[in-house]
Amino acid sequence: MNAPRFNAYGVAAIYRFEMARFMRTIWQSLVTPVITTSLYFVVFGSAIGSRMSDVNGVPYAAFIVPGLIMMTVFTESIFNGSFGIYFPKFVGTIYELLSAPVSYVEVVLAYVGAAATKSVALGLVILATASLFVPIHILHVGWMIGFLVLISVTFSLFGFILGIWANSFEQLNIVPMLIMTPLTFLGGAFYSIDMLPPAWRTLTLFNPVVYLISGFRWSFFGTADVAVGLSFGMTLGFLAVCLAVVAVVFKTGYRLKN
Amino acid sequence: MNPMTPIISIANLTKTYASGQEALKAINLDIRKGEIFALLGPNGAGKTTLINIVCGIVTASTGTVSADGHDIVRDYRGARMKIGLVPQELHTDAFEKVIATVTFSRGLFGRAPNPAHIEKILRELSLWDKREAKVRTLSGGMKRRLMIAKALAHEPSILFLDEPSAGVDVELRRDMWAMVRSLRASGVTIILTTHYIEEAEDMADRIGVINKGELIVVEEKAALMKKLGKKEMTLNLQEPMAEIPPSLADWGLELKADGHELHYAFDASAANTGGGIALLLKRLAELGIGFKDLHTSQSSLEDIFVNLVRADADSQWGVRK
């Protein structure tokens, strides 16, 4: 029999394998973000939020919802995207992937697709959890889903690259801890950048996360720190950079093949 | 089946790792369809590198490989769908179920689901009862069989077994070889690597010896065993002997230790029939030559390598360098 031009069975096998891993740990996967989100609501939404004034006409407790969802989506996408490819490297089962008739595009599609699926699901779970605490009205549902999917894919891809690059579990953790956490906190997850002094506001505009959170928040409330078109453009730009890096990685076999 | 049709064709294959280590030096090798080919060599000779290049895990520096007519780089899908690999190390997904990991392998290699085939393989490898068990609960021998099941899940026509008997007990080894033979009978071409010449002797149709990245011998097993599988018997004589009686000339005996020892060198095929030794001892008894002790030794693969590497490969073994 002739080899197919697209190995759909291969993509499905990897995707199913990754989703099975997710389902095995479904409780850890879901309970942790739900508890974390609830804690944020207790602290920021109720305790502190009740003393905060509205932000651009949005009650503070509602204002932080898109930022909270994004925080989890960033973390989970990077974790799942990186773990999916790092673990086979670590335990040695990568041999099978490297000797299989799957193209690089198919490998990325399967791993990143599975990681992004989990992130989108988690994002929606957090949204549902949040709606138990505050009434949430989503202005642009289509855009909200669009941003959620796009950002999940982008960060899963970013995680995938991280997983290929990492040679140890320490390296795997260092980027999310050292880079993503500060960028997210300084990226307007809990405040509007209008609240910052002008100099800091300018500096913040160099933080790519600002554009992602701003765009996502716009889809909820119709107000944003930066123009939504710019947010969308930045998200696509980041996705393009990740795609370019992953293309180079596969072309050179970097850290995968000798 | 034409025995001369190469199913794998390796031409001028070299591999130099980024570290500068020259793992393979211009390998040329044709594997025939339907044969069992054993690749022998000491540690670090390049056996695994060669296999890994054919399977797509390592990128060759120069040279070409085609598998069943598919170039392994340009038409990697075609080539890889035909190949199954059982690597040396037991790399398994610890938390997966046996049946899930084998089903995964079939899909990964682009084949439509076929539960009946998966069941057949698992039954043949005595893993069917363990199908719902987590991989990490399996014993070492079961994991080895699981690796074979994964490699066979997509019905490959070429199977690579890299050191399949490493760390495997005698009984399992016997079962494994029985399975390899039945695979060959069903038309699968098998390439295996091993440290043990006895194993190659037992299994292979042809044998290749690789040393320091060079293929120094490729021969039919029978011919190679005759050359390489030397055995030696030493008799400690009761009375020293001045010269070997003419009636013992057939055995090509040698006197050593001032006539106190009689040496008889013979090849492994003669040892299998046993005729050589039995007849010799009978003749000695007839001649009234007594001996105090007797011991036999077999040339190990290490001896053979030492000899091969020392020898002028071109003239002695008639092979290309």
Side-chain angles (χ1 to χ4, degrees), chain B residues 57-191:
Chain B
I57 295 169
V58 170
T59 311
S61 300
T62 61
T64 57
V65 180
S66 73
D68 207 9
H70 306 277
D71 183 277
I72 60 156
V73 178
R74 269 179 291 123
D75 186 11
Y76 68 93
R77 283 186 203 272
R80 293 182 190 180
M81 280 187 80
K82 299 289 167 83
I83 298 176
L85 166 67
V86 183
Q88 195 171 336
E89 310 286 339
L90 293 172
H91 300 306
T92 51
D93 294 304
F95 304 106
E96 281 285 316
K97 285 181 182 171
V98 167
I99 194 156
T101 189
V102 178
T103 305
F104 167 80
S105 297
R106 184 176 171 89
L108 186 65
F109 279 73
R111 290 302 200 105
N114 183 350
H117 178 69
I118 304 288
E119 179 177 345
K120 180 173 158 271
I121 296 174
L122 290 179
R123 283 192 188 281
E124 276 173 7
L125 288 159
S126 314
L127 286 170
W128 182 245
D129 293 342
K130 289 279 180 184
R131 63 190 180 278
E132 294 298 327
K134 293 267 166 75
V135 172
R136 69 191 155 101
T137 64
L138 300 185
S139 69
M142 286 178 189
K143 279 185 185 149
R144 177 73 64 187
R145 296 207 295 273
L146 177 63
M147 303 290 283
I148 298 173
K150 280 167 75 74
L152 293 175
H154 64 286
E155 300 164 58
S157 53
I158 304 166
L159 182 67
F160 282 94
L161 294 164
D162 195 357
E163 297 285 351
S165 49
V168 164
D169 66 37
V170 180
E171 197 178 346
L172 174 58
R173 201 181 294 187
R174 211 182 302 134
D175 291 350
M176 203 160 63
W177 293 140
M179 201 203 61
V180 167
R181 282 198 189 91
S182 79
L183 279 172
R184 202 244 320 244
S186 70
V188 177
T189 305
I190 291 144
I191 298 105

Side-chain angles (χ1 to χ4, degrees), chain A residues 1 3-7 9-10 13-14 17 20 24 87 91-93 95-103 106 257-258, chain B residues 15 17 55-59 76-78 80-81 87 91-93 96 104-105 107-113 147 150:
Chain A
M1 66 173 272
R5 293 174 66 84
F6 181 83
N7 185 352
Y9 291 121
I14 299 173
F17 178 89
R24 271 201 300 272
F87 197 66
V91 298
T93 49
Y95 84 89
E96 200 177 18
L97 191 66
L98 294 177
S99 63
V102 285
S103 71
E106 289 154 6
K257 279 177 139 186
N258 284 314
Chain B
K15 175 64 189 180
Y17 284 105
C55 294
I57 295 169
V58 170
T59 311
Y76 68 93
R77 283 186 203 272
R80 293 182 190 180
M81 280 187 80
H91 300 306
T92 51
D93 294 304
E96 281 285 316
F104 167 80
S105 297
L108 186 65
F109 279 73
R111 290 302 200 105
M147 303 290 283
K150 280 167 75 74

Side-chain angles (χ1 to χ4, degrees), chain A residues 193-206:
Chain A
I193 59 171
D194 288 342
M195 299 171 177
L196 296 173
W200 280 99
R201 206 179 305 162
T202 313
L203 195 66
T204 303
L205 292 177
F206 288 97

Side-chain angles (χ1 to χ4, degrees), chain B residues 255-309:
Chain B
L255 270 179
K256 285 189 178 168
D258 294 329
H260 284 90
E261 283 180 17
L262 199 56
H263 282 248
Y264 171 43
F266 53 100
D267 62 41
S269 53
N272 288 341
T273 61
I277 304 176
L279 270 179
L280 174 63
L281 295 182
K282 191 164 166 244
R283 185 67 56 85
L284 288 172
E286 284 165 11
L287 293 171
I289 300 170
F291 51 91
K292 295 181 283 192
D293 198 8
L294 168 157
H295 72 266
T296 62
S297 62
Q298 184 168 13
S299 47
S300 68
L301 193 57
E302 272 160 52
D303 301 335
I304 291 163
F305 279 121
V306 171
N307 290 336
L308 273 175
V309 174

